[in-house]
Amino acid sequence: MSKPITKQYDELPKIVRILLQIFLGYVVGGIYRVIRFTETKNIVTLIVGLVGLLTGFGNFIVWLIDLITTITNDKITFLAD
C-alpha cells in the first residue's frame, strides 16, 4: 500500500519543501490542504485550501503561514489537520 500524497510531501528534504514554499507555496499550500481533506475528511482543511487557492489576500496569508510552519515545524501545520 502506498503512502498518502501529503505524507510523501512531508518526507521530502526540508530544503526542498522550503524552496517549494518560497517559489510555489501559493499553489502548494492550497493543493496540499485539498488533498489532505481527501485523507482526513476535515471540512475546515478543505475550506482553507480553497480559500488559499482562489483568493489573492487569503492566498498570501496561507503562503506566509505555510512558509513559517515549514521552517519551524518541518511541515505544513496551520489548519491542515
Side-chain angles (χ1 to χ4, degrees):
M1 188 168 164
S2 65
K3 295 179 188 177
I5 293 172
T6 56
K7 179 74 170 166
Q8 292 175 20
Y9 176 82
D10 291 339
E11 291 177 351
L12 289 172
K14 185 174 185 174
I15 189 67
V16 172
R17 285 181 281 127
I18 290 171
L19 290 172
L20 282 170
Q21 282 301 317
I22 290 170
F23 295 109
L24 299 172
Y26 56 92
V27 175
V28 170
I31 292 172
Y32 180 93
R33 284 179 177 81
V34 170
I35 293 171
R36 185 79 176 148
F37 165 75
T38 65
E39 297 168 359
T40 65
K41 305 298 185 221
N42 184 340
I43 194 71
V44 173
T45 302
L46 176 64
I47 292 169
V48 173
L50 292 175
V51 167
L53 284 172
L54 302 175
T55 65
F57 185 70
N59 190 330
F60 175 75
I61 297 298
V62 170
W63 169 78
L64 187 60
I65 291 171
D66 288 347
L67 178 60
I68 292 168
T69 60
T70 298
I71 291 169
T72 59
N73 297 331
D74 293 335
K75 67 183 211 171
I76 296 174
T77 59
F78 179 72
L79 297 175
D81 197 8

